Amino acid sequence: MGPGGGVVVRLTVSCGCPLLLAMALAGPALAQGALDEGGPPVASSAVRSGVPVLTAGRIVGADPRLDGRLDEAVWRTASVAGDFVQFEPNEGEAPSQSTEARVLYGSDALYVGIRAFDSAPDSIVGQLTRRDQESYSDRLAVIVDSYHDRRTAFHFEVNPRGVKTDIYRFEDTQQDRTWDAVWEVATSVDERGWTAEFRIPFSQLRFRGAETQSWGINFTREIARHRETSAWAPLSNREAGMVSRAGELSGLVELQSPRRLELIPYSVAEVRSLQGDPTDPFYRSTYAQASVGGDLKYGLTGDLTLDVTVNPDFGQVEADPAEVNLTAYESFFSERRPFFVEGSNFYNFSIGLGDGDGAGEALFYSRRIGRAPQGSPDVDGGFADVPELTSILGAAKLSGKTSSGWSLGLLSALTGEEKARVHTGEGERLEGVVEPTTAYGVARVQRDFRDGRSALGLIGTAVMRDAGVAGSLGLRSNALTGGVDFRHRLGGDRFQVSGYVVGSRVSGSAEAIEATQRSSSRYFQRPDADHLELDPDRTSLDGWAGFLQASKIGGGFWRFSTGAQLRSPGFEPNDVGFMREADFVTSWAWVGYHRSEPSGIFRRYYLNANTWTSYTFGGEQTSLAGNVNGSFTLNNNWGGWLGVMRQTSALSTAALRGGPALLREAGWNGWGGLHSDTRHDVSFNVGAHWGLRSESDSWNVGTNAHVSWRPSGRASLSVGPFVSWRADDRQWVERLDLTTPEYVLGRLDQTTAGVTARVNYAFTPTLSLQLYAQPFVSAGSYAAFKRVDDPRAARYAERFGLLDYLPDPEGGYLADVDGDGTLDHFRDPDFNSKQFQSNVVLRWEYRPGSAVYLVWTQARDHWVDDGAFQVGDDVHRLFAQPPNNVLLLKVSYWLSP
């Protein structure tokens, strides 16, 4: 017996036959266990009930040196995981090159050694990049399911240059690439291929203390030049499984759950040079500030971790992408702040559908915490100094998954009262509250059953504001949501049924709840909605939402999904969640043929067909549409995508911003694109989209491209230009409250163009430089102003009446909108918006878990009420604007006492 219970097999060759001798001395294709310094082969992995099993070797004596060479005697005592199987491109076949993995463990860490044999070592590819960055590289990875729940795992990956990637895997197939652990790895390239030697502290894993235990484990290898991926425990594109398909790591004895305590104190120094009005008494062209804070991570048990932050640094390095939002709905921007990003899967409760209008909708949207103040002071012809963001006084979260299958996520945050300083036109100095003290809470619990094939979950969220201040600002004082969700796999994991039911309740002053009823999410004031009633005396509002879906998620090439989603008119999760609209019942059906293995000229291809329809709770049909789409990759790794969609005529309940529903004309949409082989130093993709509503002569067309260049093994550059043109004959302009409400629309001609550019340069795997820049211009001019006459008329021309308008000398336009013989004023909606966002980030991880950031950001902004788009003049005017500059230095230090 070997250390840790592994069986050691020694082979003695006593025959003088040259063939047998050659086989005994052969390379990796003929003999397992061929380590860097030779030696007899050891036991290979076994198979138990169809699952590959590897025995971990226990370290007796000194731990291995972490040098990327597997030449120490202790490695020769470990069992071998070989016989990898291709995942891509030829699923189920033997890989083009052999791979061997071994696992050892000591008192405080897991050691993994992987030898990647390669018959052409000069072709091994390794791009030097910053941590976690995607690149054209060979890769080796170990995936550890230390919970052994077949649902969650810790993924550690490295390329031949020593660049690390770590991923938290959950729900079997989902992943969180923002998770960062503190671990070490070393690599080495030689004439037989390359090796990776991992040291993963037990403190970075989660497991229960037990005398003897087994974990789930898998090893994967990517060979970049072949676009080939293989795994020790076979994976399948035909099955919805990743963690659940892992093998087993046995032989772990006398492991104790480590005491997990991590402290990360940090300091931030910042200098700002800003533009402003010199007559503003609050304006300072340059100022500096500094702060200190810290994060604490403590393992309450082997399963649960407490994170606490004091005076948190929630600075966001990269600005949100520029846009001009002309819709009735709020824009969604993804979270980038580390405290909220890490472990966000424990709190996730999505209520959206796919990547379309429902993208990002969820009961917890962390960007509500620390948002810009929602109130605005009355300056009375003077000036105001309003905080950019609400101060987060503190935040804590408790998260983890127990060995019995319970997942827990609790989060609490407190933001402070924010005040604006006001200097009135009369010279008076005042203060006004613009954001109340607010407490946020989120609780998410899930329980796995049947080895993770089924689950039941609960969620609750709460927001509590200072009622007096909230009422004065027209904000809700309390908001609650709660619900239950489930999923259940059946038919050998080929089918899944999932769903949820949630409810909400918001309360506050009558003014706040009236604003809630009038919001773009529901428009209770619509005059033609018999199922809605605006009550200005209400002080609370209740609602609910539900979802049910049945899908085929694995087995063969066919997939399908059908289901329904409902939201009552009063459903409101937006105090700490994100939702665009309520008041609908949507049903859909989808079928797809997904060929994920080579067939003819294709490496893979997907074909899909979808149809859906929606109604309000009053029975008004708001959509009936369908599309067909597909994507493909050729054997030469070029590929593309294509789709077309048809929308029938249906009602829009938001087009008139609280007015009656407007009949939306039928239309067509399409999209397509092409990408080149990313293995080359220069690669690209180009896409286009179009839309046509012929009845109103409205249309849109746009194109975008992305070109990447790798000039060396440590540098990469990318440029992504985009441009779009749009003509919309019924774009919203204004509501006029005359004898009766009148709604003014116009024909919008809009052009938008921009470029996103990035440069990445890595000096070492722990020292990197990033540059980001995005100039953006969007201009829109309006003409053919019209009023709404009959919003549901069958013919488009009968819905509107063209206005005879003329410019108002004081700005805007004049027209007899209501036909009473008196000229009415409405605004000039023309716009020309220009923005430039850029930053330079130098990041140095000077020791594991500790980093220095030096960041310079520059922003320029220019807006005029002129709808002319002239790219040369617009760019010149943009860069003629004085910039806002910020220089920031952040230093953090990781401690694990």
Side-chain angles (χ1 to χ4, degrees), residues 387-454:
E388 291 184 9
L389 299 171
T390 303
S391 300
I392 301 176
L393 303 179
K397 57 184 180 180
L398 177 66
S399 60
K401 186 167 187 177
T402 69
S403 58
S404 58
W406 288 95
S407 293
L408 177 67
L410 303 176
L411 184 145
S412 177
L414 180 67
T415 60
E417 181 180 272
E418 295 293 343
K419 295 181 179 180
R421 296 183 298 164
V422 176
H423 189 280
T424 69
E426 300 298 324
E428 187 179 4
R429 288 186 174 266
L430 305 170
E431 275 192 345
V433 177
V434 290
E435 182 73 23
T437 301
T438 306
Y440 299 87
V442 181
R444 179 82 164 108
V445 180
Q446 288 181 290
R447 176 69 161 89
D448 287 348
F449 304 94
R450 302 171 59 239
D451 290 328
R453 293 182 177 89
S454 300

Side-chain angles (χ1 to χ4, degrees), residues 354-373:
D355 298 324
D357 293 339
E361 292 190 315
L363 291 188
F364 178 48
Y365 179 45
S366 57
R367 289 190 61 148
R368 301 293 187 206
I369 303 174
R371 66 193 300 174

Side-chain angles (χ1 to χ4, degrees), residues 234-536:
L235 302 171
S236 175
N237 278 305
R238 300 187 189 183
E239 307 295 337
M242 167 58 82
V243 180
S244 62
R245 299 182 67 87
E248 183 177 313
L249 181 66
S250 63
L252 299 168
V253 297
E254 298 179 353
L255 289 186
Q256 298 296 321
S257 295
R259 178 174 175 264
R260 294 182 288 112
L261 175 62
E262 299 177 20
L263 295 172
I264 308 179
Y266 52 78
S267 62
V268 179
E270 183 178 5
V271 178
R272 296 191 174 209
S273 174
L274 307 177
Q275 305 304 313
D277 186 348
T279 64
D280 183 347
F282 302 115
Y283 170 65
R284 289 180 294 168
S285 61
T286 303
Y287 68 94
Q289 61 185 16
S291 62
V292 296
D295 296 334
L296 177 145
K297 188 184 295 286
Y298 179 67
L300 295 178
T301 68
D303 305 314
L304 300 177
T305 301
L306 175 68
D307 291 89
V308 178
T309 183
V310 178
N311 191 22
D313 168 36
F314 287 149
Q316 186 169 302
V317 170
E318 190 168 299
D320 293 321
E323 69 165 18
V324 174
N325 184 358
L326 299 178
T327 73
Y329 305 118
E330 176 186 6
S331 297
F332 174 82
F333 295 107
S334 59
E335 179 65 87
R336 297 189 181 96
R337 298 173 296 179
F339 179 84
F340 292 116
V341 168
E342 183 180 348
S344 59
N345 58 285
F346 285 105
Y347 312 96
N348 181 54
F349 196 107
S350 175
I351 58 173
L353 288 176
D355 298 324
D357 293 339
E361 292 190 315
L363 291 188
F364 178 48
Y365 179 45
S366 57
R367 289 190 61 148
R368 301 293 187 206
I369 303 174
R371 66 193 300 174
Q374 300 173 78
S376 56
D378 182 7
V379 298
D380 191 21
F383 299 91
D385 179 24
V386 182
E388 291 184 9
L389 299 171
T390 303
S391 300
I392 301 176
L393 303 179
K397 57 184 180 180
L398 177 66
S399 60
K401 186 167 187 177
T402 69
S403 58
S404 58
W406 288 95
S407 293
L408 177 67
L410 303 176
L411 184 145
S412 177
L414 180 67
T415 60
E417 181 180 272
E418 295 293 343
K419 295 181 179 180
R421 296 183 298 164
V422 176
H423 189 280
T424 69
E426 300 298 324
E428 187 179 4
R429 288 186 174 266
L430 305 170
E431 275 192 345
V433 177
V434 290
E435 182 73 23
T437 301
T438 306
Y440 299 87
V442 181
R444 179 82 164 108
V445 180
Q446 288 181 290
R447 176 69 161 89
D448 287 348
F449 304 94
R450 302 171 59 239
D451 290 328
R453 293 182 177 89
S454 300
L456 183 67
L458 299 170
I459 189 171
T461 72
V463 176
M464 293 175 286
R465 298 185 175 96
D466 183 311
V469 177
S472 67
L473 296 174
L475 301 177
R476 296 181 285 267
S477 57
N478 292 283
L480 303 171
T481 69
V484 59
D485 66 332
F486 76 94
R487 55 174 168 76
H488 177 71
R489 289 187 180 182
L490 62 159
D493 286 354
R494 293 177 300 151
F495 301 92
Q496 178 170 290
V497 179
S498 58
Y500 64 73
V501 176
V502 295
S504 70
R505 180 180 179 84
V506 293
S507 59
S509 65
E511 293 77 13
I513 300 304
E514 181 178 357
T516 302
Q517 296 174 76
R518 291 181 175 273
S519 74
S520 60
S521 298
R522 52 193 55 81
Y523 289 131
F524 273 27
Q525 70 272 33
R526 279 178 47 212
D528 60 341
D530 295 337
H531 66 293
L532 303 175
E533 181 181 357
L534 177 65
D535 183 353

